[in-house]
Amino acid sequence: MDNVRVIKNPVVYLNLCVMRDKNTDSQGVRIAARKITRCLLYEAAKNLPLVDTEITTPLTTFTAKTVDPDINLIISPILRAGLIFTDEAIDILPQATIRHIGMYRDEKTLKPVWYYNKVPMEAPNPEKFYIYITDPMLATGNSLIEAIKLYADKGIPIDNIKVICMIAAPQGIENIHKHYPDIEIITAAIDSHLNEKGYIVPGMGDAGDRIFNT
Ligand code: URA
């Protein structure tokens, strides 16, 4: 599939098995999920612009590469399950800002319903913005499309916006690419299909419930 990066890494496979298993308790799901998010975020971070910086080690001074400190790096978790990415994200990318997006899925229509939006900012230099929208489950893709729109409508280049998920359904990927053909989706797995209730099969069940023990 174009514009979909599936992370092929034994650490990811191992932790996907733990996370998906119905016998794994909530704490186990969270631990496994965080390890997967870390791998996904490292992969996403490959698009960040670099600058030279002078570093003095105990031995010498030299010019090293680092992440451009002048970019606006935004992690946008879709509440609530997307929160599982945030601790890892700010650990490995300390300059990131977290901007939450609250949407739930109407159980009948499967359409997203907004309840919280922490993306009120203008983007005066849109090319300086780098956005990672996080949601462990890319099911119908409807919430993610709304979230992408929020940023794309501010003029942020689509190349600077990434969707990061753990498990994706083919229908959801297709839906996102129908609206935004050029957006890159980074995922740990592409599963078989969505069932009639909009759950990913084989999936992991309700990610929010499994992560937050509800
Ligand atoms: N959201 C979930 O939590 N799980 C699914 O399978 C689909 C959407």
Side-chain angles (χ1 to χ4, degrees), residues 18-196:
V18 175
M19 189 180 82
R20 288 176 187 274
D21 190 327
K22 69 174 187 163
N23 295 314
T24 304
D25 67 9
S26 227
Q27 187 185 33
V29 168
R30 285 193 297 274
I31 292 170
R34 287 203 192 104
K35 291 177 189 168
I36 299 169
T37 63
R38 194 168 269 254
C39 295
L40 293 164
L41 289 160
Y42 279 135
E43 194 63 30
K46 287 180 180 170
N47 82 331
L48 298 179
L50 302 176
V51 292
D52 288 340
T53 184
E54 200 159 279
I55 296 292
T56 303
T57 74
L59 300 180
T60 188
T61 295
F62 80 117
T63 304
K65 299 248 173 264
T66 191
V67 176
D68 183 347
D70 294 330
I71 59 165
N72 282 295
L73 174 57
I74 295 176
I75 313 291
S76 253
I78 299 191
L79 302 178
R80 63 189 162 137
L83 284 175
I84 193 69
F85 286 82
T86 52
D87 284 353
E88 297 296 321
I90 43 177
D91 261 7
I92 64 174
L93 297 164
Q95 77 196 79
T97 303
I98 310 291
R99 292 198 172 265
H100 299 85
I101 291 178
M103 271 182 257
Y104 68 86
R105 203 163 58 144
D106 183 287
E107 281 180 11
K108 287 208 182 77
T109 63
L110 302 185
K111 298 272 183 245
V113 182
W114 278 97
Y115 64 90
Y116 192 72
N117 176 357
K118 259 293 179 194
V119 187
M121 84 296 179
E122 296 301 311
N125 292 308
E127 68 290 346
K128 287 271 194 187
F129 281 74
Y130 287 77
I131 316 294
Y132 298 159
I133 303 169
T134 65
D135 190 346
M137 309 302 270
L138 194 183
T140 61
N142 292 334
S143 316
L144 282 160
I145 290 165
E146 291 275 322
I148 297 164
K149 184 172 185 316
L150 214 55
Y151 288 107
D153 285 357
K154 294 184 197 308
I156 297 170
I158 216 73
D159 271 357
N160 293 12
I161 307 174
K162 307 272 176 216
V163 167
I164 311 181
C165 56
M166 295 191 212
I167 301 177
Q171 293 96 317
I173 294 174
E174 201 180 310
N175 191 19
I176 290 180
H177 281 154
K178 205 166 64 194
H179 291 79
Y180 295 100
D182 296 325
I183 198 154
E184 189 177 40
I185 297 168
I186 300 176
T187 185
I190 301 177
D191 274 10
S192 159
H193 63 279
L194 288 182
N195 71 11
E196 65 293 345

Side-chain angles (χ1 to χ4, degrees), residues 5-9 12-13 16 39-40 43-44 186-189:
R5 218 185 313 168
V6 184
I7 307 305
K8 296 188 170 57
N9 182 311
V12 170
Y13 298 150
L16 273 174
C39 295
L40 293 164
E43 194 63 30
I186 300 176
T187 185

Side-chain angles (χ1 to χ4, degrees), residues 105 137 139 198-200 205-208:
R105 203 163 58 144
M137 309 302 270
Y199 279 93
I200 300 176
D206 186 303

